[in-house]
Amino acid sequence: MRAINYDKDQKTSTLYFDEVPIPDPDSDEVLIRVHAFGLNRADLLQVRGQYPPPAGASEIPGLECSGIIEEVGENVTKWKAGDHVCGLVDGGAYAEYCLLDSGMIWRKPEGASWVEAAAMPETYLTAYQALYQLMDVTTMERVLIHAAASGVGSAAVQLLSDLDIKKWGTASGPKIDFCLDRGYDAVIDYQKYSFLEKVMGWTGGSGVDGIVDVVGGDYFQDNIKALALDGTLVMLGLLSGVQAGQVNILPLISRRLTIQGSTLRSRSVSYKRELVRGFLDRFHSKIQRGELKPEIYKNLSWADSAQAHDLMRQNKNSGKIVLSIQ
Ligand SMILES: NC(=O)c1ccc[n+]([C@@H]2O[C@H](COP(=O)([O-])OP(=O)(O)OC[C@H]3O[C@@H](n4cnc5c(N)ncnc54)[C@H](OP(=O)(O)O)[C@@H]3O)[C@@H](O)[C@H]2O)c1
């Protein structure tokens, strides 16, 4: 089969078509013929050697895809050849065929395209995990989502749509209308304003109950200052770097804060199956009714993978970039 590969000795991110064997499903896996796969920030890091796949995972990039089941492993009873599905993988989605754990897939919604279905698993599960598992957003009154227009940020606001809660975000100026149109109550242009000052102004100095952050180092001090009593910071990314300078940690104690970091890809199979189950328990009917739909910034052919990586690296996208296998 054809797959997109990259130079493992890198420092460059040259992507190229490779010819590799079609993998065989293990007993709990399904093999799908891939129609589309979503691009994620992690892919950019992986092809530059900064985010190697976990042990046992495919070295081919790609964390999510949609397609048609070709073959099922001997223990798989819920799925059969011909089923249209999408799901989460540790790697291997940039290929004509991909193996998925049978507990990490769901049926492609009737009204969704292959592109939309491929854009869901990684970002929705990440946002769900942050909001409903690593913090309990159902008990909160105000949350702040950094990089609100990102794949993760645009999924997060949809997962909050039924909650009577203030949904605030940060984004660069050109993306603010995108975020407001998609459910954020207010979005701070972080290139012009301090999010800490805005949040403290809006809350009369009391802060927000939860923050989902992918920016990391540059935001760490202001994040802990912006949290309310008993607030939770969930850290998922380090887009600005890993150093946080001279941090005053007093708010951790005086405001009884919780800081929770996570990375989805390296979680165990059982954890991820449970995560998918929890996500579907809460959101399955909305997904199938088409009420949860990923924002597609661009759909390109997988022959244009390098161009797609450039777009994401330059922070051009609002929502998801998806590549179709043609
Ligand atoms: N831990 C996990 O399990 C997990 C899972 C999935 C994703 N992630 C992380 O979540 C983040 C978002 O992923 P994604 O695929 O949704 O990304 P994405 O769609 O590419 O969006 C990232 C956005 O972040 C903003 N940004 C970039 N650098 C920034 C900086 N230095 N300061 C402030 N904002 C910055 C940019 O938007 P603006 O134009 O608004 O600046 C950029 O478009 C990534 O860091 C990714 O690694 C983590």
Side-chain angles (χ1 to χ4, degrees), residues 39-42 44-45 51 63 122-123 126 129 147-153 170-175 190-191 213-215 218-219 235-241 262-265 312-320:
L39 202 70
N40 288 283
R41 208 79 182 183
L44 274 58
L45 296 176
Y51 192 48
L63 301 177
E122 173 73 12
T123 38
T126 298
Q129 179 198 29
S150 66
V152 174
T170 61
S172 61
K175 298 182 182 174
Y190 70 90
Q191 291 169 332
D213 181 41
V214 295
V215 177
D218 285 357
Y219 280 10
M235 296 189 62
L236 300 172
L238 299 161
L239 287 166
S240 71
S262 182
T263 172
L264 182 56
R265 191 185 196 184
M312 185 173 267
R313 192 173 298 109
Q314 294 160 14
N315 298 331
K316 298 280 193 214
N317 59 301
S318 298
K320 295 285 291 184

Side-chain angles (χ1 to χ4, degrees), residues 266-277:
S266 57
R267 297 277 194 174
S268 67
V269 169
S270 58
Y271 179 96
K272 284 187 271 199
R273 285 179 183 163
E274 202 47 51
L275 185 70
V276 169
R277 214 183 337 262

Side-chain angles (χ1 to χ4, degrees), residues 113-225:
S113 64
W114 291 113
V115 168
E116 287 167 336
M120 291 195 81
E122 173 73 12
T123 38
Y124 280 76
L125 289 168
T126 298
Y128 167 76
Q129 179 198 29
L131 294 166
Y132 289 90
Q133 301 213 328
L134 302 176
M135 66 172 73
D136 182 2
V137 76
T138 62
T139 64
M140 296 180 173
E141 290 176 17
R142 304 155 176 152
V143 286
L144 178 67
I145 315 280
H146 289 304
S150 66
V152 174
S154 58
V157 72
Q158 290 188 16
L159 302 186
L160 297 172
S161 63
D162 286 346
L163 299 184
D164 184 16
I165 180 173
K166 289 286 178 215
K167 307 158 190 93
W168 295 332
T170 61
S172 61
K175 298 182 182 174
I176 288 182
D177 286 345
F178 168 91
C179 299
L180 293 173
D181 289 348
R182 280 149 186 90
Y184 280 97
D185 295 305
V187 182
I188 303 157
D189 179 348
Y190 70 90
Q191 291 169 332
K192 281 197 188 149
Y193 304 104
S194 148
F195 73 82
L196 174 62
E197 282 174 20
K198 287 282 182 195
V199 159
M200 285 314 190
W202 294 339
T203 60
S206 59
V208 290
D209 305 303
I211 299 179
V212 178
D213 181 41
V214 295
V215 177
D218 285 357
Y219 280 10
F220 190 69
Q221 179 74 80
D222 283 356
N223 276 338
I224 62 175
K225 283 189 184 167

